[in-house]
Amino acid sequence: MSQFDLLSAVQPASGWFAIVGIKEHENPAMRVRQWFVETREEADEVAQRFMAQGRNVFFGVAKYTTDQNRTKDNVQALRAFWLDIDCGPTKTVINEKTGRPAGYAVRHDALEALKAMCTAVELPRPILVNSGRGLHVYWALDRDVERWEWEPVAERLREVCDEQGLHVDPAVFEVARILRIPGTLNFKDDPPSTVTVIAAAPPVSFEGFRGALGLTPASPPKAAVKRELTALGKSLKDNSIAVFKKIMVRSAAGTGCQQLLDCYEQQATLPEPRWFDALSIGKFCIDADMAITKMSEQHPDYDPASTLDKIKHILGPHTCAVIERNNPGGCKGCPHFRKIKSPIVLGRDIKEAEQADHIIGNEDETYVIPKYPFPYFRGANGGVYIRGADEESEPLLVYEQDIYVVKRMNDPEKGDVVVIRAHMPQDGVKEFVVANTVIADIGELRKKLASFGVITHGRRFDLLAAYIISCTKDLQTQRKAEKMRSQFGWADDNTKFIAGDREITADGIFHSPPSSVTQGIAEAFGPLGTLDKWKEVWALYGRPGLEGSAFGALTGFGSMLFHFFGQSGAIINLIHPNSGTGKTTILHMANSVWGNPKRMCGIEKDTLNGRMQRLGVFNNICFPIDEVTNMKGEEFSSLAYGITQGRFKDRLKASANELRLNNTTWCTMALFSSNASFVEKLQATKANPDGEIMRLLEYKIDPSDAVDPALGKDMFDQQLMQNYGHAGPIFVDYVLRNWDEVRTLCLGIQSKLDLELGLTQKERFRSAQLAANLSALRIIRHLGLVDWDMKPIYEFACKLVTEVRKDDVSTTQGDAMSVLGDFLNRHLQNVLVVKEHVDARSSMPTLPQLEPKGELLIRYEPDTKLMYLNGKAFKNDCVMAQVNYKETMKQLEQYGVLLPSMVKRMSKGMKINSPGVYCIVIDCSSSSFIQFEEAMGIGGKEAEEADAGGEG
């Protein structure tokens, strides 16, 4: 049988031939030549040329799909199974690891062993080839088979050989194997021996051969669906590395791979398959260059360039099964036997982030991730890892994403807290606050982290909790905890301004994590859209006829200047009985300076305590409440005084007779909208509401056609709601950089207003309100935020003071007579009118001219012109009306109407006479007193008739 007959018998008809020529050469690059050809004639020609060059000639038993490489993935089909049996005196030496030799002393012994195995297993007669030093055995098949069909049968054939004691080369049971071509020379012999076919055999059935080995048909592989790695999967994969040095250090210590250690120690005589086993591991380690050199420098075929070229076809690290097959028994006693798939996992490590890797982000926002405390570290592509207890241990993943403690802070309510930042793949960067009391409770910490999307389980969560504690403790050694802000506005001696989660300084804007007090409100603050779009909306208020709207909106800026005027607070109330006049829009415009126009507004249902708490958080930022129409006069009075006092009331702790710490103060202007006048409500509620009214600047917002309704709806209801929060930081930055100049501007404008309008100390709140808003207008015009004409707005403000003065309550306490008059008017149903003395003609008591229809509170005697008031009732009325009782009594005495108080039987003259009560005595004969008899409709004819009745 010729060489051509063998190749025709054992190879598929189609595909590329692979012809390989190998020759000993001092230059390793010249040792191996490989050619791919398409025809049998070309294969024969290449084989003859290689043999003429003194090369050992081999052929790939499989055929290949392309001429690119001789790898198993490139195999197109196969048409044979084969064995390689080595023969020679040295092959009978017993391998201590396997307990068996590598081959047979002579070919006859090999043939006898082969025959015994075929008989025992009932395998058909094979083709036999004298390889020069050994025996090649082929079973040609009756059809082409694919790799997925071939490989399990070849693996079973190897196992059967082992079971039957047939000593074969275990490395040849692979699809890309090369064997010698019959008719060529084996140059390892001296003289060279000829490779010849010594026995032919017909093709065998693939199914029959497979059945003889005890195998059932294999299932064809499912179509490979290559799933794209998620961003997380790619990140974790990119973090994972293998370190060859780590494998070898472990191997030397007896806890690594003894096969690789043997390859290193025996590299000078290492067969090529085993050499490639070692190189396949080194190639895929991060220290590949070092690994390849160290595992090859003693090998006779080593050349740096050609070796790198040789291992290009290695597509992945060889498995333990392949390595054991190439060196049977080498894995015996391995502590990792059947626990790992490849020795490369013994060098697994995590690539640690370098300094440059800790800076991430884009042009808009950059984050500097801190160095994690030992033994934790950041992976090169993110994530938190913890180093093992020793060099052999693989680092453990703590959390897949970047998560770290940014800073320690002290919350006014929760005590010590930490700020944690988590980089989420889809949701961006999240920053949140966790109290130390939560960190110390693993159950609470799990819930807290989960609420922000940080979720893991089991042992992994224990690692995460320990990591957060380590970060916190590490920061404790580095710096003092920062104080969390409990309110917005000016801070740290007016060097900073806090708004939401932004801290504005002359050096820039920084993140200021909200405290538990400010967190709920802080979410309403922040920028959206663009400054230019916001300016377009604000430009509308510069139109003629909208001066009142513009002045109200300026409160959004003016409130931040209010502290320059020495007042703690004041109120602007925008009124009109109808809706749709733009009152709420003015509040939205003011709010848009800092954040969401709607969410920053207080609402009607807020409680008084809730409003005061919110006021303390807003501090120097305009405090808006929409629709306060239904607020009672008494409640408004309390709110007005609270706003202008600049501090929250003291309260006892719920669990102890102890005052709560009260640091809540403010200095601002409140901006309200209402359908009714609160000046009128206060006047109706109190006898003297002058104190509240002086703190209240109230004016009417009439409908205007200055802005087309369609345009207004688009700009105020749409564009403003999508563009806000940009102007505030610009304004504050200017004030910070020009503090003294701004203060001079504010006080200068106030002086001008005081002079022109004749504003007194009594009107100090109005003076500050006007000056703050007009100063703000001057600044925002300078900054280019608006281009409004200042003159009409200034004139509006001046006219406004003139108008509100008409509503002022007189503060001369000649109003004591009014207090007395109000008391009498309220209690006309509680009056007894009766003479004190008996009728002189009949010596009989006179009948009452008027009797009370309810409780008796007032007694009037027409004959003595004296009036007796129930002292307790009068004093209670003064208190309810918030009138100074003592001052009222003093003034009544000055007017000459108040006589010394006494105990009087108020009901004398009635059928039932009650005991005396403490009474205030009023002399009604005084010219300063009202004509009470006329008011009661008594005297004259009525009195005479009453007297006549008494005589009867």
Side-chain angles (χ1 to χ4, degrees), residues 244 260 263 270 272-285 288-297 299 302-303 306-308 310-311 314 316-318 323 344:
F244 194 77
L260 290 181
C263 287
L270 201 64
E272 186 174 275
R274 294 197 63 208
W275 181 30
F276 275 27
D277 286 339
L279 295 181
S280 77
I281 304 301
K283 177 183 177 180
F284 295 96
C285 289
D289 292 343
M290 180 277 295
I292 293 170
T293 300
K294 289 294 184 182
M295 299 302 289
S296 307
E297 55 190 358
H299 197 279
Y302 176 63
D303 170 74
S306 62
T307 300
L308 291 175
K310 277 183 178 182
I311 64 175
I314 301 178
H318 287 183
I323 294 172
I344 198 167

mmCIF file of all heavy atoms in Angstrom, residues 244 260 263 270 272-285 288-297 299 302-303 306-308 310-311 314 316-318 323 344:
data_model
loop_
_atom_site.group_PDB
_atom_site.id
_atom_site.type_symbol
_atom_site.label_atom_id
_atom_site.label_comp_id
_atom_site.label_asym_id
_atom_site.label_seq_id
_atom_site.Cartn_x
_atom_site.Cartn_y
_atom_site.Cartn_z
ATOM 1 N N PHE A 244 1.156 33.852 36.490
ATOM 2 C CA PHE A 244 1.901 32.593 36.378
ATOM 3 C C PHE A 244 2.859 32.410 37.550
ATOM 4 O O PHE A 244 3.035 31.301 38.056
ATOM 5 C CB PHE A 244 2.667 32.562 35.053
ATOM 6 C CG PHE A 244 3.169 31.207 34.697
ATOM 7 C CD1 PHE A 244 2.307 30.241 34.182
ATOM 8 C CD2 PHE A 244 4.502 30.865 34.884
ATOM 9 C CE1 PHE A 244 2.770 28.973 33.855
ATOM 10 C CE2 PHE A 244 4.973 29.606 34.564
ATOM 11 C CZ PHE A 244 4.107 28.651 34.052
ATOM 12 N N LEU A 260 2.927 21.325 36.014
ATOM 13 C CA LEU A 260 3.683 22.496 35.544
ATOM 14 C C LEU A 260 5.060 22.557 36.195
ATOM 15 O O LEU A 260 6.039 22.949 35.545
ATOM 16 C CB LEU A 260 2.899 23.780 35.842
ATOM 17 C CG LEU A 260 1.625 24.004 35.023
ATOM 18 C CD1 LEU A 260 0.974 25.316 35.419
ATOM 19 C CD2 LEU A 260 1.949 24.028 33.526
ATOM 20 N N CYS A 263 7.136 20.229 34.297
ATOM 21 C CA CYS A 263 7.481 20.804 32.987
ATOM 22 C C CYS A 263 8.642 21.783 33.126
ATOM 23 O O CYS A 263 9.540 21.851 32.266
ATOM 24 C CB CYS A 263 6.282 21.516 32.379
ATOM 25 S SG CYS A 263 4.996 20.407 31.765
ATOM 26 N N LEU A 270 11.775 17.965 27.557
ATOM 27 C CA LEU A 270 10.320 17.905 27.552
ATOM 28 C C LEU A 270 9.768 17.684 26.150
ATOM 29 O O LEU A 270 10.141 18.384 25.208
ATOM 30 C CB LEU A 270 9.753 19.220 28.112
ATOM 31 C CG LEU A 270 8.333 19.201 28.656
ATOM 32 C CD1 LEU A 270 8.235 18.278 29.873
ATOM 33 C CD2 LEU A 270 7.900 20.618 29.028
ATOM 34 N N GLU A 272 7.287 17.979 23.027
ATOM 35 C CA GLU A 272 6.599 19.186 22.591
ATOM 36 C C GLU A 272 5.169 19.307 23.116
ATOM 37 O O GLU A 272 4.762 20.398 23.530
ATOM 38 C CB GLU A 272 6.605 19.274 21.065
ATOM 39 C CG GLU A 272 6.019 20.589 20.551
ATOM 40 C CD GLU A 272 6.166 20.727 19.058
ATOM 41 O OE1 GLU A 272 7.228 21.189 18.618
ATOM 42 O OE2 GLU A 272 5.199 20.366 18.354
ATOM 43 N N PRO A 273 4.376 18.218 23.153
ATOM 44 C CA PRO A 273 3.003 18.375 23.670
ATOM 45 C C PRO A 273 2.958 18.909 25.100
ATOM 46 O O PRO A 273 2.131 19.745 25.442
ATOM 47 C CB PRO A 273 2.428 16.963 23.576
ATOM 48 C CG PRO A 273 3.183 16.336 22.454
ATOM 49 C CD PRO A 273 4.583 16.860 22.601
ATOM 50 N N ARG A 274 3.878 18.412 25.913
ATOM 51 C CA ARG A 274 3.895 18.856 27.298
ATOM 52 C C ARG A 274 4.423 20.291 27.400
ATOM 53 O O ARG A 274 3.998 21.081 28.246
ATOM 54 C CB ARG A 274 4.746 17.920 28.157
ATOM 55 C CG ARG A 274 4.163 16.515 28.282
ATOM 56 C CD ARG A 274 4.786 15.787 29.448
ATOM 57 N NE ARG A 274 4.503 16.443 30.703
ATOM 58 C CZ ARG A 274 5.282 16.385 31.781
ATOM 59 N NH1 ARG A 274 6.405 15.688 31.759
ATOM 60 N NH2 ARG A 274 4.961 17.021 32.904
ATOM 61 N N TRP A 275 5.363 20.613 26.553
ATOM 62 C CA TRP A 275 5.879 21.981 26.514
ATOM 63 C C TRP A 275 4.736 22.945 26.173
ATOM 64 O O TRP A 275 4.570 23.982 26.805
ATOM 65 C CB TRP A 275 7.013 22.059 25.474
ATOM 66 C CG TRP A 275 7.656 23.417 25.358
ATOM 67 C CD1 TRP A 275 7.800 24.360 26.320
ATOM 68 C CD2 TRP A 275 8.251 23.962 24.184
ATOM 69 N NE1 TRP A 275 8.438 25.466 25.839
ATOM 70 C CE2 TRP A 275 8.739 25.241 24.518
ATOM 71 C CE3 TRP A 275 8.431 23.484 22.886
ATOM 72 C CZ2 TRP A 275 9.393 26.064 23.595
ATOM 73 C CZ3 TRP A 275 9.095 24.289 21.973
ATOM 74 C CH2 TRP A 275 9.563 25.566 22.312
ATOM 75 N N PHE A 276 3.922 22.533 25.204
ATOM 76 C CA PHE A 276 2.796 23.377 24.809
ATOM 77 C C PHE A 276 1.738 23.464 25.918
ATOM 78 O O PHE A 276 1.045 24.470 26.044
ATOM 79 C CB PHE A 276 2.165 22.853 23.524
ATOM 80 C CG PHE A 276 2.866 23.357 22.291
ATOM 81 C CD1 PHE A 276 4.206 23.710 22.320
ATOM 82 C CD2 PHE A 276 2.183 23.489 21.098
ATOM 83 C CE1 PHE A 276 4.852 24.181 21.192
ATOM 84 C CE2 PHE A 276 2.815 23.963 19.954
ATOM 85 C CZ PHE A 276 4.176 24.297 19.991
ATOM 86 N N ASP A 277 1.621 22.372 26.713
ATOM 87 C CA ASP A 277 0.723 22.440 27.861
ATOM 88 C C ASP A 277 1.128 23.589 28.787
ATOM 89 O O ASP A 277 0.292 24.388 29.238
ATOM 90 C CB ASP A 277 0.757 21.130 28.649
ATOM 91 C CG ASP A 277 0.016 19.993 27.942
ATOM 92 O OD1 ASP A 277 -0.838 20.291 27.080
ATOM 93 O OD2 ASP A 277 0.298 18.833 28.269
ATOM 94 N N ALA A 278 2.419 23.648 29.095
ATOM 95 C CA ALA A 278 2.926 24.688 29.989
ATOM 96 C C ALA A 278 2.764 26.073 29.372
ATOM 97 O O ALA A 278 2.349 27.025 30.029
ATOM 98 C CB ALA A 278 4.388 24.412 30.333
ATOM 99 N N LEU A 279 3.079 26.165 28.054
ATOM 100 C CA LEU A 279 2.980 27.458 27.387
ATOM 101 C C LEU A 279 1.528 27.937 27.302
ATOM 102 O O LEU A 279 1.258 29.137 27.336
ATOM 103 C CB LEU A 279 3.586 27.377 25.988
ATOM 104 C CG LEU A 279 5.092 27.110 25.914
ATOM 105 C CD1 LEU A 279 5.559 27.071 24.468
ATOM 106 C CD2 LEU A 279 5.856 28.173 26.691
ATOM 107 N N SER A 280 0.597 26.983 27.186
ATOM 108 C CA SER A 280 -0.810 27.379 27.096
ATOM 109 C C SER A 280 -1.289 28.049 28.384
ATOM 110 O O SER A 280 -2.201 28.882 28.357
ATOM 111 C CB SER A 280 -1.685 26.157 26.797
ATOM 112 O OG SER A 280 -1.877 25.359 27.948
ATOM 113 N N ILE A 281 -0.705 27.685 29.502
ATOM 114 C CA ILE A 281 -1.062 28.331 30.767
ATOM 115 C C ILE A 281 -0.385 29.696 30.852
ATOM 116 O O ILE A 281 -1.010 30.709 31.152
ATOM 117 C CB ILE A 281 -0.659 27.462 31.969
ATOM 118 C CG1 ILE A 281 -1.283 26.058 31.856
ATOM 119 C CG2 ILE A 281 -1.064 28.136 33.270
ATOM 120 C CD1 ILE A 281 -2.790 26.053 31.796
ATOM 121 N N GLY A 282 0.910 29.723 30.543
ATOM 122 C CA GLY A 282 1.651 30.977 30.621
ATOM 123 C C GLY A 282 1.138 32.035 29.678
ATOM 124 O O GLY A 282 1.113 33.227 29.999
ATOM 125 N N LYS A 283 0.698 31.623 28.468
ATOM 126 C CA LYS A 283 0.239 32.575 27.459
ATOM 127 C C LYS A 283 -0.919 33.427 27.959
ATOM 128 O O LYS A 283 -1.023 34.606 27.591
ATOM 129 C CB LYS A 283 -0.172 31.825 26.191
ATOM 130 C CG LYS A 283 -0.729 32.730 25.101
ATOM 131 C CD LYS A 283 -1.188 31.960 23.883
ATOM 132 C CE LYS A 283 -1.802 32.893 22.849
ATOM 133 N NZ LYS A 283 -2.262 32.159 21.640
ATOM 134 N N PHE A 284 -1.773 32.859 28.811
ATOM 135 C CA PHE A 284 -2.968 33.576 29.224
ATOM 136 C C PHE A 284 -2.855 34.152 30.637
ATOM 137 O O PHE A 284 -3.864 34.468 31.265
ATOM 138 C CB PHE A 284 -4.181 32.659 29.104
ATOM 139 C CG PHE A 284 -4.464 32.276 27.676
ATOM 140 C CD1 PHE A 284 -3.989 31.073 27.165
ATOM 141 C CD2 PHE A 284 -5.136 33.132 26.832
ATOM 142 C CE1 PHE A 284 -4.220 30.728 25.842
ATOM 143 C CE2 PHE A 284 -5.366 32.795 25.511
ATOM 144 C CZ PHE A 284 -4.899 31.590 24.994
ATOM 145 N N CYS A 285 -1.615 34.304 31.085
ATOM 146 C CA CYS A 285 -1.368 34.965 32.363
ATOM 147 C C CYS A 285 -0.900 36.392 32.099
ATOM 148 O O CYS A 285 -0.380 36.708 31.028
ATOM 149 C CB CYS A 285 -0.317 34.213 33.173
ATOM 150 S SG CYS A 285 -0.904 32.620 33.814
ATOM 151 N N ALA A 288 2.803 36.864 30.981
ATOM 152 C CA ALA A 288 3.022 35.851 29.936
ATOM 153 C C ALA A 288 4.454 35.840 29.432
ATOM 154 O O ALA A 288 5.040 34.764 29.233
ATOM 155 C CB ALA A 288 2.052 36.092 28.779
ATOM 156 N N ASP A 289 5.038 36.985 29.201
ATOM 157 C CA ASP A 289 6.404 37.027 28.662
ATOM 158 C C ASP A 289 7.382 36.324 29.585
ATOM 159 O O ASP A 289 8.219 35.524 29.145
ATOM 160 C CB ASP A 289 6.845 38.479 28.443
ATOM 161 C CG ASP A 289 6.066 39.147 27.325
ATOM 162 O OD1 ASP A 289 5.447 38.423 26.522
ATOM 163 O OD2 ASP A 289 6.081 40.389 27.255
ATOM 164 N N MET A 290 7.262 36.621 30.860
ATOM 165 C CA MET A 290 8.137 35.967 31.831
ATOM 166 C C MET A 290 7.855 34.478 31.871
ATOM 167 O O MET A 290 8.785 33.646 31.905
ATOM 168 C CB MET A 290 7.914 36.598 33.213
ATOM 169 C CG MET A 290 8.787 35.991 34.330
ATOM 170 S SD MET A 290 8.125 34.459 35.057
ATOM 171 C CE MET A 290 6.634 35.077 35.827
ATOM 172 N N ALA A 291 6.580 34.091 31.847
ATOM 173 C CA ALA A 291 6.211 32.686 31.938
ATOM 174 C C ALA A 291 6.767 31.894 30.766
ATOM 175 O O ALA A 291 7.328 30.798 30.942
ATOM 176 C CB ALA A 291 4.692 32.562 31.996
ATOM 177 N N ILE A 292 6.600 32.417 29.565
ATOM 178 C CA ILE A 292 7.068 31.704 28.366
ATOM 179 C C ILE A 292 8.583 31.543 28.406
ATOM 180 O O ILE A 292 9.129 30.479 28.082
ATOM 181 C CB ILE A 292 6.625 32.451 27.098
ATOM 182 C CG1 ILE A 292 5.095 32.374 26.977
ATOM 183 C CG2 ILE A 292 7.288 31.879 25.866
ATOM 184 C CD1 ILE A 292 4.523 33.274 25.915
ATOM 185 N N THR A 293 9.278 32.569 28.823
ATOM 186 C CA THR A 293 10.746 32.497 28.901
ATOM 187 C C THR A 293 11.187 31.473 29.932
ATOM 188 O O THR A 293 12.047 30.617 29.650
ATOM 189 C CB THR A 293 11.317 33.882 29.247
ATOM 190 O OG1 THR A 293 10.935 34.812 28.246
ATOM 191 C CG2 THR A 293 12.837 33.825 29.352
ATOM 192 N N LYS A 294 10.616 31.547 31.128
ATOM 193 C CA LYS A 294 11.038 30.657 32.200
ATOM 194 C C LYS A 294 10.728 29.189 31.900
ATOM 195 O O LYS A 294 11.478 28.296 32.300
ATOM 196 C CB LYS A 294 10.349 31.066 33.513
ATOM 197 C CG LYS A 294 10.863 32.358 34.104
ATOM 198 C CD LYS A 294 12.314 32.233 34.545
ATOM 199 C CE LYS A 294 12.812 33.486 35.223
ATOM 200 N NZ LYS A 294 14.255 33.371 35.613
ATOM 201 N N MET A 295 9.633 28.923 31.177
ATOM 202 C CA MET A 295 9.261 27.553 30.869
ATOM 203 C C MET A 295 9.910 27.034 29.592
ATOM 204 O O MET A 295 9.694 25.874 29.224
ATOM 205 C CB MET A 295 7.738 27.435 30.747
ATOM 206 C CG MET A 295 6.986 27.784 32.011
ATOM 207 S SD MET A 295 7.437 26.785 33.446
ATOM 208 C CE MET A 295 6.735 25.203 33.001
ATOM 209 N N SER A 296 10.703 27.858 28.912
ATOM 210 C CA SER A 296 11.234 27.457 27.597
ATOM 211 C C SER A 296 12.739 27.605 27.446
ATOM 212 O O SER A 296 13.327 27.008 26.533
ATOM 213 C CB SER A 296 10.565 28.297 26.493
ATOM 214 O OG SER A 296 9.174 28.246 26.565
ATOM 215 N N GLU A 297 13.391 28.362 28.288
ATOM 216 C CA GLU A 297 14.780 28.739 28.026
ATOM 217 C C GLU A 297 15.734 27.545 27.988
ATOM 218 O O GLU A 297 16.795 27.629 27.357
ATOM 219 C CB GLU A 297 15.248 29.767 29.056
ATOM 220 C CG GLU A 297 15.088 29.347 30.501
ATOM 221 C CD GLU A 297 15.341 30.503 31.469
ATOM 222 O OE1 GLU A 297 15.675 31.599 30.985
ATOM 223 O OE2 GLU A 297 15.195 30.315 32.685
ATOM 224 N N HIS A 299 14.643 24.527 26.822
ATOM 225 C CA HIS A 299 14.145 23.594 25.819
ATOM 226 C C HIS A 299 14.981 23.693 24.549
ATOM 227 O O HIS A 299 15.308 24.801 24.092
ATOM 228 C CB HIS A 299 12.673 23.892 25.515
ATOM 229 C CG HIS A 299 11.965 22.784 24.816
ATOM 230 N ND1 HIS A 299 12.069 22.589 23.452
ATOM 231 C CD2 HIS A 299 11.151 21.787 25.283
ATOM 232 C CE1 HIS A 299 11.342 21.542 23.111
ATOM 233 N NE2 HIS A 299 10.780 21.028 24.206
ATOM 234 N N TYR A 302 13.710 26.017 21.718
ATOM 235 C CA TYR A 302 13.257 27.357 22.085
ATOM 236 C C TYR A 302 13.948 28.452 21.286
ATOM 237 O O TYR A 302 15.168 28.501 21.174
ATOM 238 C CB TYR A 302 13.485 27.618 23.577
ATOM 239 C CG TYR A 302 13.123 29.030 23.992
ATOM 240 C CD1 TYR A 302 11.807 29.486 23.878
ATOM 241 C CD2 TYR A 302 14.094 29.899 24.495
ATOM 242 C CE1 TYR A 302 11.465 30.769 24.257
ATOM 243 C CE2 TYR A 302 13.756 31.182 24.882
ATOM 244 C CZ TYR A 302 12.434 31.629 24.748
ATOM 245 O OH TYR A 302 12.113 32.906 25.102
ATOM 246 N N ASP A 303 13.133 29.265 20.713
ATOM 247 C CA ASP A 303 13.556 30.515 20.094
ATOM 248 C C ASP A 303 12.431 31.510 20.374
ATOM 249 O O ASP A 303 11.263 31.223 20.078
ATOM 250 C CB ASP A 303 13.733 30.353 18.587
ATOM 251 C CG ASP A 303 13.946 31.691 17.892
ATOM 252 O OD1 ASP A 303 15.039 32.259 18.013
ATOM 253 O OD2 ASP A 303 12.961 32.168 17.252
ATOM 254 N N SER A 306 10.085 32.344 17.223
ATOM 255 C CA SER A 306 9.373 31.194 16.658
ATOM 256 C C SER A 306 8.435 30.558 17.677
ATOM 257 O O SER A 306 7.377 30.029 17.333
ATOM 258 C CB SER A 306 10.373 30.155 16.152
ATOM 259 O OG SER A 306 11.176 29.671 17.216
ATOM 260 N N THR A 307 8.812 30.608 18.959
ATOM 261 C CA THR A 307 7.944 30.051 19.985
ATOM 262 C C THR A 307 6.646 30.846 20.074
ATOM 263 O O THR A 307 5.558 30.267 20.178
ATOM 264 C CB THR A 307 8.657 30.039 21.342
ATOM 265 O OG1 THR A 307 9.846 29.250 21.246
ATOM 266 C CG2 THR A 307 7.756 29.470 22.425
ATOM 267 N N LEU A 308 6.756 32.169 20.024
ATOM 268 C CA LEU A 308 5.554 32.991 20.030
ATOM 269 C C LEU A 308 4.686 32.700 18.821
ATOM 270 O O LEU A 308 3.452 32.685 18.907
ATOM 271 C CB LEU A 308 5.922 34.486 20.076
ATOM 272 C CG LEU A 308 6.536 34.989 21.392
ATOM 273 C CD1 LEU A 308 6.951 36.448 21.255
ATOM 274 C CD2 LEU A 308 5.541 34.838 22.542
ATOM 275 N N LYS A 310 4.593 29.846 17.266
ATOM 276 C CA LYS A 310 4.043 28.504 17.437
ATOM 277 C C LYS A 310 2.785 28.500 18.297
ATOM 278 O O LYS A 310 1.842 27.746 18.038
ATOM 279 C CB LYS A 310 5.085 27.590 18.104
ATOM 280 C CG LYS A 310 6.105 26.990 17.175
ATOM 281 C CD LYS A 310 7.000 26.061 17.971
ATOM 282 C CE LYS A 310 8.022 25.385 17.080
ATOM 283 N NZ LYS A 310 8.868 24.429 17.851
ATOM 284 N N ILE A 311 2.797 29.314 19.324
ATOM 285 C CA ILE A 311 1.689 29.244 20.279
ATOM 286 C C ILE A 311 0.518 30.156 19.899
ATOM 287 O O ILE A 311 -0.449 30.277 20.661
ATOM 288 C CB ILE A 311 2.156 29.578 21.709
ATOM 289 C CG1 ILE A 311 2.650 31.032 21.799
ATOM 290 C CG2 ILE A 311 3.225 28.611 22.166
ATOM 291 C CD1 ILE A 311 3.004 31.447 23.230
ATOM 292 N N ILE A 314 -2.817 28.436 20.024
ATOM 293 C CA ILE A 314 -3.393 28.038 21.312
ATOM 294 C C ILE A 314 -4.453 29.066 21.687
ATOM 295 O O ILE A 314 -4.148 30.222 21.979
ATOM 296 C CB ILE A 314 -2.302 27.953 22.407
ATOM 297 C CG1 ILE A 314 -1.214 26.943 22.003
ATOM 298 C CG2 ILE A 314 -2.936 27.560 23.734
ATOM 299 C CD1 ILE A 314 -0.083 26.837 22.998
ATOM 300 N N GLY A 316 -6.702 28.860 24.168
ATOM 301 C CA GLY A 316 -7.076 28.947 25.574
ATOM 302 C C GLY A 316 -6.175 28.065 26.397
ATOM 303 O O GLY A 316 -5.454 27.195 25.870
ATOM 304 N N PRO A 317 -6.156 28.258 27.702
ATOM 305 C CA PRO A 317 -5.307 27.422 28.562
ATOM 306 C C PRO A 317 -5.769 25.966 28.515
ATOM 307 O O PRO A 317 -6.965 25.685 28.533
ATOM 308 C CB PRO A 317 -5.515 28.031 29.955
ATOM 309 C CG PRO A 317 -6.801 28.762 29.872
ATOM 310 C CD PRO A 317 -6.933 29.249 28.478
ATOM 311 N N HIS A 318 -4.813 25.048 28.424
ATOM 312 C CA HIS A 318 -5.161 23.634 28.385
ATOM 313 C C HIS A 318 -5.784 23.210 29.705
ATOM 314 O O HIS A 318 -5.439 23.707 30.779
ATOM 315 C CB HIS A 318 -3.917 22.788 28.096
ATOM 316 C CG HIS A 318 -3.460 22.895 26.670
ATOM 317 N ND1 HIS A 318 -2.401 22.161 26.178
ATOM 318 C CD2 HIS A 318 -3.918 23.638 25.627
ATOM 319 C CE1 HIS A 318 -2.224 22.443 24.902
ATOM 320 N NE2 HIS A 318 -3.130 23.344 24.551
ATOM 321 N N ILE A 323 -3.708 17.949 29.971
ATOM 322 C CA ILE A 323 -2.356 17.868 30.534
ATOM 323 C C ILE A 323 -2.085 16.474 31.085
ATOM 324 O O ILE A 323 -0.992 15.916 30.901
ATOM 325 C CB ILE A 323 -2.182 18.946 31.628
ATOM 326 C CG1 ILE A 323 -2.249 20.337 30.979
ATOM 327 C CG2 ILE A 323 -0.867 18.763 32.359
ATOM 328 C CD1 ILE A 323 -2.272 21.473 31.986
ATOM 329 N N ILE A 344 -4.683 27.094 35.386
ATOM 330 C CA ILE A 344 -4.623 28.566 35.359
ATOM 331 C C ILE A 344 -5.416 29.181 36.504
ATOM 332 O O ILE A 344 -5.113 30.291 36.946
ATOM 333 C CB ILE A 344 -5.106 29.100 33.995
ATOM 334 C CG1 ILE A 344 -4.622 30.542 33.814
ATOM 335 C CG2 ILE A 344 -6.618 28.981 33.867
ATOM 336 C CD1 ILE A 344 -4.763 31.065 32.410
#
